[in-house]
Amino acid sequence: MSRFRRSIFAAVITSLMAVPGWAQTTILNVSYDPTRELYREFSAAFTQYWQQQTGETINVRMSHGGSGSQARAVIDGLDADVVSLALEADINAIVEATGKIPADWRSQLPNNSAPYTSTIVFLVRAGNPKNIQDWDDLVRDDVQVITPNPKTSGGARWNLLAAWAWAEKKFGGDEEQVRNYVSALYRNVPVLDTGARGSTTTFVQRGIGDVLLAWENEAFLALEELGPDRFEIVTPSISILAEPPVALVEGNAEAKGTTEIARAYLEYLYTETGQTIAAKHYYRPFKPELVDPAALERFVEIELVTIDSFGGWAEAQPRFFGDGGIFDQIYQPAN
Amino acid sequence: MSGTAVMRFRQPSVLPGFGIALGFTLVYLSGIVLIPLAAMILKSAGLGWAEFWRIVGDPRTLAAIRLSFGASLLAASINAVFGVLLAWVLVRYSFPRRRLADAMIDLPFALPTAVAGIALTTLYAPNGWIGQFLATLGLKVAYTPIGIVIALTFIGLPFVVRTVEPVLREFDREAEEAAATLGATRRQTVFRVILPSLLPAILTGYALALARSIGEYGSVIFIAGNIPYVSEITPLLIVIRLEEFNYAGATAIAAVMLAISFSMLLIINLIQAWSRRRFGHDG
Amino acid sequence: MTVENMLVPSAAGTAAPNRYEATSETRGVRIVLIAIAVLFLALFLLLPLAAVFMEAFRGGIQAYFAAITEPDALAAIRLTLTVAAIAVPCNLIFGVAAAWAIAKFEFKGKSLLTTLIDLPFSVSPVISGLVYVLLFGAQGYFGPWLSAHGIQIAFAVPGIVLATIFVTFPFVARELIPLMQEQGTGDEEAALSLGANGWQTFLFVTLPNIKWALLYGVLLCNARAMGEFGAVAVISGKIRGLTNTMPLHVEILYNEYAFSAAFAVASLLALLALVTLAIKTFLEWRFADGIAAAGRSH
């Protein structure tokens, strides 16, 4: 037994020593679904930048999935150097479960560690045949709404909160009516995909539903990838300021000796290049002054509420999306 | 290990290699299957009974289990009917491309489930090849429980066919001839003589298809609407619980599923024991 | 008996000749039954398969080859092949050992052992992945120890291999057990009495008797190993180019609106399934007599 254990140790030590020798340094960015195109371009730009700065060739690997499932994977040991997820709550879950991210991660980078923001808009079919203009149209009997499951998709949580924010304003804070509105909204949802991308595919490719509640960037991308003649974007009267945060997973990066690169990677998001790439992929840059104004024209002014009006994620997460929370109550059969 | 202990444990045999073969089997089985499953049961046992039942008795969990069971039962029943028919046609009749048709039966076995799921969704979505015709009839298949039944029918298709085929092939035709000679109509012969003796094989295939369908994930999630209480299958609920960081919930539901799998296997074994006693061959 | 019946050579018999006039259906009934059977097969099997290939080539042949030679796709293909190359031999050795113990000897608890070997077949793939996360994940039982020693199992190739082994666990064993049970121990006893040792007996007597069944088991084990989705999805971490298997890559491409590319990779998997079936059918046709003889010899 002891010899077996010693041979494992030996194997491990050799492999640890061997890694820097034969493989280039690799960092892993664990991200959520709609950032695929953004980070593909950004990682390439950063690799180039890093080589110019240090002469070192590095490799940035990507993993994409639903924000919640990605956080779960990091908690279970997926060896991420940086995480770029849909919500603060998902990063907080990693903080609580593993301690690999310091509790004050939000203060480590500008704008609460959110280098870009987005919002929730409506994607409708060309010509807007159902004449969907604002949130109240979504509960009409003849309208089918596509949105993913807020339990597994970060974007879907922003969707629900945006709807809630509108209803709260409309009904003057009467919670009973707000709840009824949101329940009616979800009764119009025929397919509840697990991730934002799944919902977009259902709406766009399968032709299900009349309106897709989508990240603004996702809506623009769908327009670009799948034909501007087939869909159009409707901006509701009120929406939510979504701040997808990024964080350094210190526990993992320190163990691998990649802290410096990983930190530089995140900081690079805030540079002119990073902000321009974000804007190009339809995210609203945190520092618009660094970006060519032409690239910003497509972003329409919307009245945006923030997560703080829900008491921050620490309060909103359990209240709306926790076990037995508001979302669970919506789906409970009335009896 | 003393020789006498081994002797009592197994009947004597001149063949060598029992110890090493059984030893390796047990170690491998424990390492790959039993210990991991035990770890999961241990984890769910850590919940305590009250909490365990609260999770399992949750209406949403029950709805998911009911759906998984209902859809699997329906799919297995469809397969039982068409499986017998297919086996009959493949064994008894000759027609062009019969061998090709026979080889095709195993396709659901070899085709990756995710590929099957995407392909079926492409076909049955309202704008798909089949879906658009059904849509004009006002019938929705993809993103409803019917879609789940379609996917599970696909997955379970080979089971009944492949269990019934060999039995049918070895079926004693003299019994049929005797029935015919004694004045039975063809229909009577089929329903009174042939089908009853195929019954164990049909039941075995049915139970196998059922066991496989209840846990199926890859092919179903693409075509199911995944709406809680309506089209959310149990394996998906496990994944959802996991992604909510709710390990306790995930393992509790998984433990129930595991118990179901195990009882399905026991039922299959019972059918076969019964069949051996009654008909002298396996199902 | 159970799984292995799927794998039983189906060509052992041929279609009935027409001499059974009295015990056959009328021509009309026959045609209707055949038509229903063919229609059912076309609807449930051929059409999905056709859909995969149609969608794969929608973007043209060039797009098809571009999709399957793209670096991430190649990495996924390589990983899938690696995983199968480890998982299948493991289950092959296990299958032979288990079949030897179960089929050639009588001992207590045999039926329980057989049931346990079948268990992975009916366990949901999701659970198969979950159990390894519970064991080897950072929050799992062995997780802290493993990470303290720098060993990655979950979200790395070892985890994917384990989940794949779990899912394909019974295939070879359940193929061999009934056949070897039926063959009995007479041949082996004769060889031993003629002075052969254990290994020689196994290699020159048992192995030739079971080779076709073994090959079937390996073929189907391999097809399942390469195509597994649910179990691998839970434990893979989906790192592009690193822990992304072919079925996961299909899902990723599908989620990137690269539908043709997704179906292109899917078509490779479908092709693999077809090749598996073709080899199986060819073996049955070419060696039908040998298989039937092996199946019946005592």
Side-chain angles (χ1 to χ4, degrees), chain B residues 231-281:
Chain B
S231 50
E232 182 179 69
I233 55 166
T234 322
L236 176 68
L237 192 59
I238 296 177
V239 172
I240 288 179
R241 291 288 179 244
L242 206 58
E243 293 178 354
E244 293 164 16
F245 320 118
N246 184 352
Y247 289 82
T251 48
I253 302 169
V256 173
M257 294 275 292
L258 193 64
I260 294 173
S261 314
F262 197 72
S263 19
M264 292 300 307
L265 285 178
L266 285 180
I267 291 171
I268 294 168
N269 282 357
L270 284 178
I271 296 172
Q272 283 171 347
W274 167 69
S275 145
R276 258 194 299 273
R277 271 200 311 278
R278 182 142 186 259
F279 299 95
H281 62 67

Coordinates of all heavy atoms in Angstrom, one line a residue, chain B residues 231-281:
Chain B
S231 N -43.6 19.0 -18.8 CA -42.7 18.2 -19.6 C -41.3 18.1 -19.1 O -40.3 18.2 -19.8 CB -42.7 18.7 -21.1 OG -42.5 20.1 -21.1
E232 N -41.2 18.1 -17.8 CA -39.8 18.0 -17.2 C -39.6 16.6 -16.7 O -40.3 16.2 -15.7 CB -39.8 19.0 -16.0 CG -38.5 19.1 -15.3 CD -38.5 20.2 -14.2 OE1 -39.2 19.9 -13.2 OE2 -37.9 21.2 -14.3
I233 N -38.6 15.9 -17.3 CA -38.4 14.5 -16.9 C -37.5 14.5 -15.7 O -36.8 15.4 -15.3 CB -37.7 13.7 -18.0 CG1 -36.5 14.4 -18.5 CG2 -38.7 13.5 -19.2 CD1 -35.6 13.5 -19.4
T234 N -37.5 13.3 -15.0 CA -36.7 13.2 -13.7 C -35.2 13.4 -13.9 O -34.7 14.2 -13.1 CB -37.0 11.8 -13.1 OG1 -38.4 11.5 -13.3 CG2 -36.7 11.8 -11.6
P235 N -34.6 12.8 -14.9 CA -33.1 13.1 -15.0 C -32.8 14.6 -15.2 O -31.8 15.1 -14.6 CB -32.7 12.3 -16.2 CG -33.7 11.2 -16.4 CD -35.0 11.8 -15.9
L236 N -33.7 15.3 -15.9 CA -33.5 16.7 -16.1 C -33.6 17.4 -14.7 O -32.8 18.4 -14.4 CB -34.5 17.3 -17.0 CG -34.4 18.8 -17.2 CD1 -33.1 19.2 -17.9 CD2 -35.6 19.4 -18.0
L237 N -34.6 17.0 -13.9 CA -34.7 17.6 -12.6 C -33.5 17.4 -11.7 O -33.1 18.3 -11.0 CB -36.0 17.0 -11.9 CG -36.4 17.8 -10.7 CD1 -36.8 19.2 -11.0 CD2 -37.6 17.1 -10.0
I238 N -32.9 16.2 -11.9 CA -31.6 16.0 -11.1 C -30.6 17.0 -11.6 O -29.9 17.7 -10.8 CB -31.1 14.6 -11.4 CG1 -32.1 13.6 -10.8 CG2 -29.7 14.4 -10.8 CD1 -31.7 12.1 -11.1
V239 N -30.5 17.2 -12.9 CA -29.5 18.2 -13.4 C -29.8 19.6 -12.9 O -28.9 20.3 -12.5 CB -29.4 18.1 -15.0 CG1 -28.6 19.2 -15.5 CG2 -28.9 16.8 -15.4
I240 N -31.1 19.9 -12.9 CA -31.5 21.3 -12.5 C -31.1 21.5 -11.0 O -30.6 22.5 -10.6 CB -33.0 21.5 -12.7 CG1 -33.2 21.7 -14.2 CG2 -33.5 22.7 -12.0 CD1 -34.7 21.9 -14.6
R241 N -31.4 20.5 -10.2 CA -31.1 20.6 -8.8 C -29.6 20.7 -8.6 O -29.1 21.5 -7.7 CB -31.5 19.3 -8.0 CG -33.0 19.2 -7.9 CD -33.6 20.2 -6.9 NE -35.0 20.1 -6.8 CZ -35.9 21.0 -7.2 NH1 -35.4 22.2 -7.6 NH2 -37.2 20.9 -7.0
L242 N -28.8 20.0 -9.4 CA -27.4 20.1 -9.3 C -26.9 21.5 -9.7 O -26.0 22.0 -9.0 CB -26.8 19.1 -10.3 CG -25.4 18.5 -10.1 CD1 -25.4 17.8 -8.7 CD2 -25.1 17.5 -11.2
E243 N -27.5 22.1 -10.7 CA -27.1 23.4 -11.1 C -27.6 24.5 -10.2 O -27.1 25.6 -10.3 CB -27.5 23.6 -12.6 CG -26.8 22.6 -13.4 CD -27.1 22.7 -14.9 OE1 -28.0 23.4 -15.3 OE2 -26.4 22.0 -15.7
E244 N -28.5 24.2 -9.3 CA -28.9 25.1 -8.3 C -28.0 24.9 -7.0 O -28.3 25.5 -6.0 CB -30.3 24.9 -7.8 CG -31.3 25.2 -8.9 CD -32.7 24.6 -8.5 OE1 -32.9 24.2 -7.3 OE2 -33.5 24.5 -9.4
F245 N -26.9 24.1 -7.2 CA -26.0 23.8 -6.1 C -26.8 23.0 -5.0 O -26.4 23.0 -3.8 CB -25.4 25.1 -5.4 CG -25.0 26.1 -6.4 CD1 -25.6 27.3 -6.5 CD2 -24.1 25.8 -7.4 CE1 -25.2 28.3 -7.4 CE2 -23.7 26.7 -8.4 CZ -24.3 28.0 -8.4
N246 N -27.9 22.4 -5.3 CA -28.7 21.7 -4.4 C -28.3 20.2 -4.5 O -29.0 19.4 -5.0 CB -30.2 21.9 -4.7 CG -31.1 21.2 -3.7 OD1 -30.6 20.5 -2.8 ND2 -32.4 21.5 -3.8
Y247 N -27.2 19.8 -3.9 CA -26.7 18.5 -4.0 C -27.6 17.5 -3.3 O -27.8 16.4 -3.8 CB -25.3 18.3 -3.4 CG -24.2 19.0 -4.3 CD1 -24.0 20.4 -4.2 CD2 -23.5 18.3 -5.2 CE1 -23.1 21.0 -5.0 CE2 -22.6 19.0 -6.0 CZ -22.4 20.3 -5.9 OH -21.5 20.9 -6.7
A248 N -28.1 17.9 -2.2 CA -29.0 17.0 -1.4 C -30.2 16.6 -2.3 O -30.5 15.5 -2.4 CB -29.4 17.7 -0.1
G249 N -30.8 17.7 -2.9 CA -32.0 17.4 -3.7 C -31.6 16.5 -4.8 O -32.3 15.5 -5.1
A250 N -30.5 16.7 -5.5 CA -30.1 15.9 -6.7 C -29.9 14.5 -6.2 O -30.4 13.6 -6.9 CB -28.8 16.5 -7.3
T251 N -29.2 14.3 -5.1 CA -28.9 12.9 -4.8 C -30.1 12.2 -4.3 O -30.3 11.0 -4.5 CB -27.8 12.8 -3.7 OG1 -28.1 13.7 -2.7 CG2 -26.4 13.1 -4.3
A252 N -31.0 12.9 -3.6 CA -32.2 12.2 -3.1 C -33.1 11.7 -4.3 O -33.5 10.6 -4.3 CB -33.1 13.2 -2.3
I253 N -33.2 12.6 -5.3 CA -34.0 12.1 -6.5 C -33.3 11.0 -7.2 O -33.9 10.0 -7.6 CB -34.3 13.3 -7.5 CG1 -35.0 14.4 -6.7 CG2 -35.1 12.8 -8.6 CD1 -35.0 15.7 -7.5
A254 N -31.9 11.1 -7.2 CA -31.1 10.1 -7.9 C -31.3 8.8 -7.2 O -31.4 7.7 -7.8 CB -29.7 10.5 -8.0
A255 N -31.4 8.8 -5.8 CA -31.5 7.6 -5.0 C -32.8 6.9 -5.3 O -32.9 5.7 -5.5 CB -31.4 7.9 -3.5
V256 N -33.9 7.7 -5.5 CA -35.2 7.1 -5.8 C -35.1 6.4 -7.2 O -35.6 5.3 -7.4 CB -36.3 8.2 -5.8 CG1 -37.6 7.6 -6.3 CG2 -36.5 8.7 -4.4
M257 N -34.5 7.2 -8.2 CA -34.3 6.6 -9.5 C -33.6 5.3 -9.5 O -33.9 4.3 -10.2 CB -33.5 7.6 -10.4 CG -34.2 8.9 -10.7 SD -35.3 8.7 -12.1 CE -34.2 8.5 -13.4
L258 N -32.5 5.3 -8.6 CA -31.7 4.1 -8.5 C -32.5 2.9 -8.0 O -32.4 1.8 -8.5 CB -30.5 4.4 -7.6 CG -29.4 3.4 -7.6 CD1 -28.7 3.4 -8.9 CD2 -28.4 3.8 -6.5
A259 N -33.3 3.2 -7.0 CA -34.2 2.1 -6.4 C -35.1 1.6 -7.5 O -35.3 0.4 -7.6 CB -35.0 2.7 -5.3
I260 N -35.6 2.5 -8.3 CA -36.5 2.1 -9.4 C -35.8 1.2 -10.4 O -36.2 0.2 -10.8 CB -37.1 3.3 -10.2 CG1 -38.0 4.1 -9.2 CG2 -37.8 2.9 -11.4 CD1 -38.5 5.4 -9.8
S261 N -34.5 1.6 -10.8 CA -33.7 0.8 -11.7 C -33.5 -0.6 -11.2 O -33.7 -1.5 -11.9 CB -32.4 1.5 -12.0 OG -32.4 2.8 -12.2
F262 N -33.2 -0.6 -9.9 CA -32.8 -1.9 -9.3 C -34.1 -2.8 -9.3 O -34.0 -4.0 -9.7 CB -32.3 -1.7 -7.9 CG -31.6 -2.9 -7.4 CD1 -30.3 -3.3 -7.9 CD2 -32.1 -3.7 -6.4 CE1 -29.7 -4.4 -7.5 CE2 -31.5 -4.8 -6.0 CZ -30.2 -5.1 -6.5
S263 N -35.2 -2.2 -9.0 CA -36.4 -3.1 -8.9 C -36.8 -3.5 -10.3 O -37.3 -4.6 -10.5 CB -37.6 -2.4 -8.2 OG -37.4 -1.0 -8.2
M264 N -36.6 -2.6 -11.3 CA -36.9 -3.0 -12.7 C -36.1 -4.3 -13.1 O -36.6 -5.2 -13.7 CB -36.5 -1.9 -13.7 CG -37.3 -0.7 -13.7 SD -39.0 -1.0 -14.0 CE -38.9 -1.8 -15.5
L265 N -34.8 -4.3 -12.7 CA -33.9 -5.4 -13.0 C -34.4 -6.7 -12.3 O -34.4 -7.8 -12.8 CB -32.5 -5.1 -12.6 CG -31.7 -4.2 -13.5 CD1 -30.3 -4.0 -13.0 CD2 -31.7 -4.8 -14.9
L266 N -34.8 -6.5 -11.0 CA -35.3 -7.6 -10.3 C -36.6 -8.2 -11.0 O -36.7 -9.4 -11.1 CB -35.7 -7.3 -8.8 CG -34.4 -7.1 -8.0 CD1 -34.9 -6.7 -6.5 CD2 -33.6 -8.4 -7.9
I267 N -37.5 -7.3 -11.4 CA -38.7 -7.8 -12.1 C -38.3 -8.5 -13.4 O -38.8 -9.6 -13.6 CB -39.6 -6.5 -12.5 CG1 -40.1 -5.9 -11.2 CG2 -40.7 -7.0 -13.4 CD1 -40.8 -4.6 -11.4
I268 N -37.3 -8.0 -14.1 CA -36.9 -8.7 -15.3 C -36.4 -10.1 -15.0 O -36.7 -11.1 -15.6 CB -35.7 -7.9 -16.0 CG1 -36.3 -6.6 -16.6 CG2 -35.1 -8.8 -17.2 CD1 -35.3 -5.7 -17.1
N269 N -35.6 -10.2 -13.9 CA -35.1 -11.5 -13.5 C -36.2 -12.5 -13.1 O -36.2 -13.6 -13.4 CB -34.1 -11.4 -12.3 CG -32.7 -10.9 -12.8 OD1 -32.5 -10.7 -14.0 ND2 -31.8 -10.6 -11.9
L270 N -37.2 -11.9 -12.4 CA -38.4 -12.7 -12.0 C -39.1 -13.3 -13.2 O -39.5 -14.4 -13.3 CB -39.3 -11.9 -11.1 CG -38.8 -11.7 -9.7 CD1 -39.8 -10.8 -8.9 CD2 -38.6 -13.0 -9.0
I271 N -39.3 -12.4 -14.2 CA -40.0 -12.8 -15.4 C -39.3 -14.0 -16.0 O -39.8 -15.0 -16.5 CB -40.1 -11.7 -16.4 CG1 -41.0 -10.5 -15.9 CG2 -40.7 -12.2 -17.7 CD1 -40.9 -9.3 -16.8
Q272 N -37.9 -13.8 -16.0 CA -37.2 -14.9 -16.7 C -37.1 -16.2 -15.9 O -37.2 -17.2 -16.5 CB -35.7 -14.4 -17.0 CG -35.8 -13.4 -18.2 CD -34.5 -12.7 -18.4 OE1 -33.6 -12.7 -17.5 NE2 -34.4 -12.1 -19.5
A273 N -37.1 -16.1 -14.6 CA -37.1 -17.3 -13.8 C -38.5 -18.0 -14.0 O -38.5 -19.2 -14.2 CB -37.0 -16.9 -12.3
W274 N -39.5 -17.2 -14.1 CA -40.9 -17.7 -14.3 C -40.9 -18.4 -15.7 O -41.5 -19.5 -15.8 CB -41.9 -16.6 -14.2 CG -43.2 -16.9 -14.7 CD1 -44.1 -17.8 -14.1 CD2 -43.9 -16.4 -15.8 NE1 -45.3 -17.8 -14.8 CE2 -45.2 -16.9 -15.9 CE3 -43.5 -15.5 -16.8 CZ2 -46.1 -16.6 -16.9 CZ3 -44.4 -15.2 -17.8 CH2 -45.7 -15.7 -17.8
S275 N -40.3 -17.7 -16.7 CA -40.4 -18.2 -18.0 C -39.6 -19.5 -18.1 O -40.0 -20.4 -18.8 CB -39.8 -17.1 -18.9 OG -39.1 -17.7 -20.0
R276 N -38.5 -19.6 -17.5 CA -37.7 -20.8 -17.5 C -38.5 -22.0 -16.9 O -38.5 -23.1 -17.4 CB -36.4 -20.6 -16.7 CG -35.2 -20.4 -17.6 CD -33.9 -20.5 -16.8 NE -33.8 -19.6 -15.7 CZ -33.3 -18.4 -15.9 NH1 -32.9 -18.0 -17.1 NH2 -33.2 -17.6 -14.8
R277 N -39.2 -21.7 -15.8 CA -40.0 -22.8 -15.2 C -41.1 -23.2 -16.1 O -41.4 -24.4 -16.3 CB -40.5 -22.3 -13.9 CG -39.6 -22.5 -12.7 CD -40.4 -22.5 -11.4 NE -41.3 -21.3 -11.2 CZ -40.8 -20.1 -10.9 NH1 -39.6 -19.9 -10.5 NH2 -41.7 -19.1 -10.8
R278 N -41.7 -22.2 -16.7 CA -43.0 -22.5 -17.4 C -42.7 -23.0 -18.9 O -43.3 -23.9 -19.4 CB -43.8 -21.3 -17.5 CG -45.1 -21.5 -18.1 CD -46.3 -20.7 -17.4 NE -47.5 -21.1 -18.1 CZ -48.1 -20.4 -19.0 NH1 -47.6 -19.2 -19.3 NH2 -49.2 -20.8 -19.5
F279 N -41.7 -22.4 -19.5 CA -41.5 -22.7 -20.9 C -40.2 -23.3 -21.2 O -39.9 -23.7 -22.4 CB -41.6 -21.4 -21.8 CG -42.9 -20.7 -21.7 CD1 -43.1 -19.7 -20.7 CD2 -44.0 -21.1 -22.4 CE1 -44.4 -19.0 -20.6 CE2 -45.2 -20.5 -22.3 CZ -45.4 -19.4 -21.4
G280 N -39.3 -23.3 -20.2 CA -38.1 -24.0 -20.5 C -37.1 -23.2 -21.3 O -36.1 -23.7 -21.8
H281 N -37.4 -21.9 -21.5 CA -36.4 -21.1 -22.2 C -36.4 -19.7 -21.6 O -37.4 -19.3 -21.0 CB -36.6 -21.0 -23.7 CG -37.9 -20.5 -24.1 ND1 -38.2 -19.2 -24.0 CD2 -39.0 -21.1 -24.7 CE1 -39.4 -18.9 -24.4 NE2 -39.9 -20.1 -24.9

